[in-house]
Amino acid sequence: MTVSDLTAAVTTPVRRARTRHFVMTAPHHFAVEYAINPWMDPSVPVDVNHALRQWEALRDTYTQLGHTVEAVDPVAGLPDMVYAANGGLIVNDRAVVANFTFAQRAAEADAYAAWMAAAGHRPERTHHHNEGQGDLLVAGSTVLAGYGFRTDRRAHDEVAAITGLPVISLELIDPRFYHLDTALTVLSDGAEDGEVTLAYYPPAFSETALTQLRALFPTAIEVATADAFVLGLNAVSDGRHVILPVNATGFAEQLREAGFEPIGVDLSELLKGGGSIKCCTLEVHP
């Protein structure tokens, strides 16, 4: 073993997984019938059976890692309902239901509110637009909240009041990264190693947001354009294993160097709707 190997072994953190509770909705009704983000092109055909196989591979990855996966029944006429993360935020024994910006997705809120109520959560709604875990990511005892495209900045105060957690507002400025979960992922929430660890794509954020991120998370991983442009940051971590789009190879190498174990999953068919791993995964936080 060389000196550099010894140095790496000493400085690379030991990452620990924690069992998670995920909620997913199968893409039985998936389609791209309209364009409400730059990734969507209704002229490009969608193979629903292929999308379902890819979704099942993601679900099976979670279960093989020991995580709980709960299913919400898809509703005909709601082609984007597969992107379960957008349905709301469940944390601190409180449930926030999405209030979608676009009319095409509005009815998804009722479907996810019904599931929350049936699961024993008490769903609460915001007056202003919020798109659930698309823009509301739990980072330790804080909620990182995106705004600029889908979630109204004023909803952040409502989310703070409902959850009882402080909310840090982060402005998004690139329409390709229209939700926070397309530009930032929480790799470790602090429960495993005492430190919140993030990865993000700097050009997606305003200068003010970047200043906040760099001050609060100085050890965060900054991801390159090639990985961001395959939605590589639309990933899910259990504190050790990071499930990410298979084409985000540079990000995967950064994760290995930081002590994480990347697991690539191909969700290319669902990318046609502007979503990937995290978009399809609503986490129920304790």
Side-chain angles (χ1 to χ4, degrees):
M1 180 177 288
T2 66
V3 173
S4 60
D5 290 334
L6 286 170
T7 301
V10 170
T11 58
T12 301
V14 176
R15 307 295 182 179
R16 295 179 175 84
R18 178 169 56 82
T19 303
R20 306 299 177 110
H21 180 184
F22 298 134
V23 176
M24 302 179 69
T25 301
H28 292 297
H29 306 298
F30 177 61
V32 179
E33 299 173 343
Y34 43 76
I36 59 174
N37 68 59
W39 303 84
M40 302 177 83
D41 183 350
S43 69
V44 176
V46 168
D47 185 333
V48 176
N49 290 329
H50 187 41
L52 181 59
R53 288 191 296 271
Q54 292 184 335
W55 179 91
E56 289 172 339
L58 175 60
R59 178 200 59 195
D60 293 347
T61 298
Y62 291 147
T63 58
Q64 288 163 12
L65 290 171
H67 304 305
T68 297
V69 177
E70 202 166 342
V72 175
D73 292 333
V75 177
L78 298 178
D80 285 339
M81 195 173 164
V82 62
Y83 304 121
N86 303 152
L89 170 69
I90 303 172
V91 62
N92 211 20
D93 294 323
R94 308 301 292 271
V96 180
V97 183
N99 178 352
F100 287 94
T101 296
F102 288 100
Q104 293 94 327
R105 299 197 65 182
E108 293 179 41
D110 292 334
Y112 282 106
W115 170 80
M116 290 175 187
H121 306 292
R122 188 178 69 182
E124 300 187 51
R125 298 179 184 258
T126 61
H127 294 291
H128 301 288
H129 292 306
N130 89 80
E131 298 211 351
Q133 287 182 11
D135 274 323
L136 304 170
L137 298 178
V138 177
S141 59
T142 301
V143 176
L144 302 179
Y147 73 98
F149 297 104
R150 295 295 190 84
T151 293
D152 191 314
R153 170 67 178 78
R154 294 170 293 180
H156 296 180
D157 294 334
E158 298 179 85
V159 170
I162 293 170
T163 63
L165 297 177
V167 172
I168 297 172
S169 299
L170 300 168
E171 184 181 14
L172 299 165
I173 60 171
D174 186 330
R176 289 166 294 190
F177 305 97
Y178 59 95
H179 276 149
L180 183 64
D181 72 353
T182 65
L184 181 150
T185 187
V186 179
L187 299 170
S188 173
D189 60 13
E192 301 86 9
D193 55 16
E195 180 183 9
V196 175
T197 305
L198 304 182
Y200 61 92
Y201 178 55
F205 296 91
S206 69
E207 285 301 321
T208 298
L210 275 180
T211 298
Q212 291 175 286
L213 286 170
R214 287 169 174 158
L216 292 169
F217 307 102
T219 62
I221 296 171
E222 296 192 5
V223 172
T225 298
D227 296 302
F229 277 27
V230 293
L231 283 192
L233 281 157
N234 197 242
V236 170
S237 176
D238 64 12
R240 176 185 173 190
H241 310 97
V242 181
I243 301 86
L244 76 164
V246 68
N247 290 331
T249 54
F251 182 31
E253 184 56 35
Q254 288 178 293
L255 290 168
R256 290 189 191 94
E257 291 173 358
F260 294 98
E261 183 179 332
I263 300 173
V265 174
D266 182 8
L267 242 58
S268 54
E269 201 66 20
L270 290 165
L271 182 60
K272 294 177 180 179
S276 192
I277 309 296
K278 174 56 186 170
C279 286
C280 292
T281 312
L282 173 66
E283 182 169 354
V284 178
H285 296 277

